[in-house]
Amino acid sequence: MTNDIWVFNGEKSTFPSGVFIDLREAEDWISKHQLTGILTLYPVGIGLYDWAIKERLFIPKSDEQLKPKFIQRFSSACLQHHHYLDGVCETRNTDDN
């Protein structure tokens, strides 16, 4: 069982268009279809808001940051992610894992 999963969001998409356990599998699919978007590694079994607090990457600083409206829209640039343009990764060396 994995503790992380790769999620691909295409450019201007509202919802993910692919979910993968393996980075290479995700990149093969992105390349095959010449997709543009972001591939992000998400933790499994924990909300991103709670994960960021647990990892000490985020500390709520106001009452607003404790409310559902904030939590349901929470995202973090601290997640490992890669940007793709027409199926080619623009943000990392292909030897990285």
Side-chain angles (χ1 to χ4, degrees):
M1 183 167 237
T2 183
N3 292 326
D4 301 300
I5 198 157
W6 289 98
V7 178
F8 181 79
N9 283 75
E11 183 177 58
K12 297 183 182 180
S13 67
T14 301
F15 300 105
S17 55
V19 178
F20 304 88
I21 293 172
D22 182 73
L23 174 61
R24 300 254 184 240
E25 183 180 38
E27 292 193 313
D28 287 348
W29 180 74
I30 293 165
S31 177
K32 173 184 173 184
H33 295 289
Q34 299 178 334
L35 304 178
T36 296
I38 300 174
L39 182 65
T40 306
L41 186 64
Y42 282 91
V44 171
I46 187 169
L48 193 52
Y49 176 86
D50 297 329
W51 172 84
I53 291 172
K54 179 182 171 194
E55 296 294 319
R56 297 186 173 141
L57 299 169
F58 175 75
I59 298 169
K61 292 179 177 62
S62 71
D63 288 342
E64 287 301 312
Q65 294 178 342
L66 300 171
K67 294 183 178 181
K69 277 189 175 183
F70 181 85
I71 296 168
Q72 70 192 19
R73 296 180 53 110
F74 184 84
S75 187
S76 174
C78 293
L79 293 170
Q80 183 179 349
H81 62 281
H82 307 295
H83 297 257
Y84 296 82
L85 178 63
D86 300 330
V88 177
C89 184
E90 297 188 307
T91 54
R92 75 174 183 82
N93 185 316
T94 54
D95 293 334
D96 293 345
N97 287 320

